[in-house]
Amino acid sequence: MAELAEIKKQGLLYRGKAKEMYTTNHSDILWVHYLDQVTALNGKRKVQMTDKGKTNCVISSQLFTDLRHQGIKNHFIKQLDLTDQLVQRVQIIPLETVIRNYASGSFVKRYQTEYLQKFSQPVIEFFYKNDVLDDPFLNDDDALALGLATNDQISEIRQIALQVNQHLIQIFEKINVQLVDFKLEFGVTKMGTVILADELSPDNCRLVDVQTKQSLDKDIFRQGLGEMVPVYEKVLQRLQQSEEA
Ligand SMILES: Nc1ncnc2c1ncn2[C@@H]1O[C@H](COP(=O)(O)OP(=O)(O)OP(=O)(O)O)[C@@H](O)[C@H]1O
Ligand SMILES: [Mg+2]
């Protein structure tokens, strides 16, 4: 896109817990600014953390680029600087798609399984993206009944989610990191295509060091396990080294 250099940031469209989304002079392009803020419990716990936005923006940009190279359509257009990106504007499908390779988090709580129990095949779960309701767990039929997505969109989401999983497993395997689970958001473009959107960072992935079993993600904050940003930076460093190799 030749005109990308002329994209200008306009008004704030949405201030979320992790990012600010701005409109631009191009109706199909949004300007994303990653915040130095971390939240848990649906925003009830909120802390400012220097450089957190930078780390997530750079990790997310790299992973979206890697996925694009693997043929997975996503909203990422360009990284502008260390905290800002341009993305394709989509209509977000209000489903949080969680892909699990090992048991953790709410799965362990719900079914009382052992932490990091390996699944024989990836588990896909949906949560209704609705802050007022606290993002409840729901199944495909519930999503259809609520009109959150069509049958075809749900099939598409499942298919893309599994592809993303395969690629991310490999990317993280190379840097000695186990991909435990992660959350994706999808959106519909003006042309009606379902594409991957939002972000891909240690805020919405569970990552565990293969050797030490240390958490390398937001669980550090959720569980008060120490400084989070240096660990995110370690993940970024390993990804960058692996990219250069
Ligand atoms: N390409 C896109 N087009 C339109 N909206 C997007 C796009 N990518 C992400 N979003 C939305 O922008 C917001 C990003 O902000 P942030 O991640 O901080 O939200 P959040 O606090 O997690 O809140 P929410 O519950 O709305 O996701 C989210 O609502 C996300 O769904
Ligand atoms: Mg978010």
Side-chain angles (χ1 to χ4, degrees):
M1 261 190 251
E3 73 274 24
L4 273 186
E6 282 133 46
I7 296 292
K8 301 269 181 300
K9 186 170 157 183
Q10 293 184 332
L12 180 67
L13 179 69
Y14 182 77
R15 186 173 212 271
K17 296 182 285 288
K19 303 183 287 295
E20 286 173 343
M21 313 296 284
Y22 294 87
T23 56
T24 65
N25 51 336
H26 192 307
S27 62
D28 294 334
I29 298 180
L30 292 182
W31 184 300
V32 188
H33 173 68
Y34 282 69
L35 299 166
D36 278 346
Q37 177 172 285
V38 58
T39 65
L41 304 170
N42 202 3
K44 289 178 200 82
R45 248 182 92 206
K46 190 193 285 184
V47 171
Q48 298 305 308
M49 280 188 198
T50 309
D51 287 347
K52 188 254 183 185
K54 200 160 86 179
T55 320
N56 276 1
C57 177
V58 180
I59 291 176
S60 205
S61 300
Q62 182 168 331
L63 292 176
F64 275 130
T65 305
D66 291 345
L67 291 177
R68 165 77 37 80
H69 290 152
Q70 300 292 337
I72 296 177
K73 287 182 285 223
N74 63 71
H75 75 159
F76 180 72
I77 297 174
K78 185 186 174 181
Q79 191 184 326
L80 296 165
D81 60 24
L82 291 175
T83 53
D84 293 41
Q85 298 170 333
L86 296 181
V87 301
Q88 186 180 349
R89 186 173 189 167
V90 293
Q91 189 76 43
I92 291 287
I93 296 172
L95 286 177
E96 303 208 333
T97 304
V98 173
I99 299 91
R100 303 180 184 275
N101 296 305
Y102 301 86
S104 186
S106 63
F107 189 96
V108 168
K109 213 188 249 176
R110 197 182 316 128
Y111 303 116
Q112 298 289 301
T113 56
E114 205 178 311
Y115 172 58
L116 296 190
Q117 175 191 314
K118 190 176 182 0
F119 300 131
S120 55
Q121 59 181 59
V123 174
I124 296 182
E125 290 179 352
F126 293 113
F127 293 82
Y128 181 11
K129 195 168 139 57
N130 183 317
D131 280 343
V132 177
L133 300 179
D134 248 346
D135 300 343
F137 183 59
L138 88 181
N139 72 17
D140 300 28
D141 282 347
D142 295 341
L144 283 176
L146 293 168
L148 308 183
T150 65
N151 234 332
D152 285 352
Q153 287 171 339
I154 294 173
S155 307
E156 187 101 359
I157 286 175
R158 286 182 171 276
Q159 205 183 328
I160 305 172
L162 291 176
Q163 287 170 3
V164 172
N165 188 38
Q166 281 317 307
H167 293 302
L168 291 186
I169 288 175
Q170 283 179 19
I171 288 170
F172 285 113
E173 230 170 40
K174 282 194 204 142
I175 61 164
N176 266 311
V177 170
Q178 195 179 342
L179 179 63
V180 175
D181 60 35
F182 56 102
K183 184 264 287 184
L184 299 176
E185 288 184 26
F186 292 87
V188 184
T189 65
K190 226 171 46 180
M191 306 300 289
T193 315
V194 173
I195 64 167
L196 183 62
D198 202 44
E199 73 176 89
L200 283 174
S201 75
D203 264 14
N204 33 43
C205 299
R206 280 203 178 84
L207 306 169
V208 166
D209 185 284
V210 170
Q211 264 87 45
T212 65
K213 297 291 168 200
Q214 183 199 6
S215 282
L216 306 172
D217 57 65
K218 205 164 100 172
D219 273 354
I220 298 169
F221 175 69
R222 292 190 192 98
Q223 300 173 13
L225 300 175
E227 288 283 306
M228 193 186 84
V229 175
V231 175
Y232 280 26
E233 282 167 347
K234 188 155 77 180
V235 172
L236 172 58
Q237 252 172 27
R238 287 198 210 175
L239 281 172
Q240 286 175 333
Q241 280 162 3
S242 154
E243 199 88 349
E244 284 158 16

